[in-house]
Amino acid sequence: MNASGTGSGAAPTQVEERLRAALAARAQSVGPADLRPLPPPTAALRPRRVTARRVVVSLLALAAVAALVFFTVHGGPARPAEPARSPQPPHSPGPATGTPSPVPSPVQRTTAEPTPSSPTP
C-alpha cells in the first residue's frame, strides 16, 4: 500500500488529492454541536406490538378450537363405517376372507355299563 492509502502502486492523481483534502476539511468542521441528539425509544411501540401479537395468537387458537369442535361434532358419519374389504373379482381363487366354522367331529355313543373295578350300588 502506498502513502496515499490506496492499494494500487500508482501515485495519487491531483483529483484524488483535492477530494481527500476537501473531505478532511469537512470532517474537521463538524463538531458535537452540529449533530442531532437521538430521540429516546418510545415505550408505546413495544407494548402495541406485543398486544397485537397476543391478539393474533389468541384468534388463531380460538379458530383451531372451533374447527376441532365443528369437525368432531358435525364431521363424523351418523353410523360407524363398515370394515374395509379387499375387492375380489367373482370366481377368483384366493384366500377365504370369512371366519372358518368348526367342523363337527363324529360322536361315539357309549352305553352306561359298570366296569368290574367300579363299586356296585
Side-chain angles (χ1 to χ4, degrees), residues 12-81:
T13 63
Q14 185 180 11
V15 175
E16 289 176 342
E17 287 182 17
R18 289 179 64 194
L19 281 173
R20 274 195 197 95
L23 288 173
R26 180 69 178 147
Q28 294 298 322
S29 70
V30 176
D34 297 325
L35 300 176
R36 285 183 306 190
L38 288 175
T42 59
L45 280 179
R46 185 173 183 148
R48 190 176 300 155
R49 285 186 205 155
V50 171
T51 304
R53 188 175 296 155
R54 285 182 183 165
V55 168
V56 169
V57 169
S58 299
L59 289 175
L60 288 174
L62 183 62
V65 169
L68 180 69
V69 168
F70 177 76
F71 289 119
T72 302
V73 173
H74 297 293
R79 62 184 180 93

Side-chain angles (χ1 to χ4, degrees), residues 107-115 118:
V107 178
Q108 296 178 354
R109 294 190 177 216
T110 60
T111 57
E113 294 182 12
T115 60
S118 63

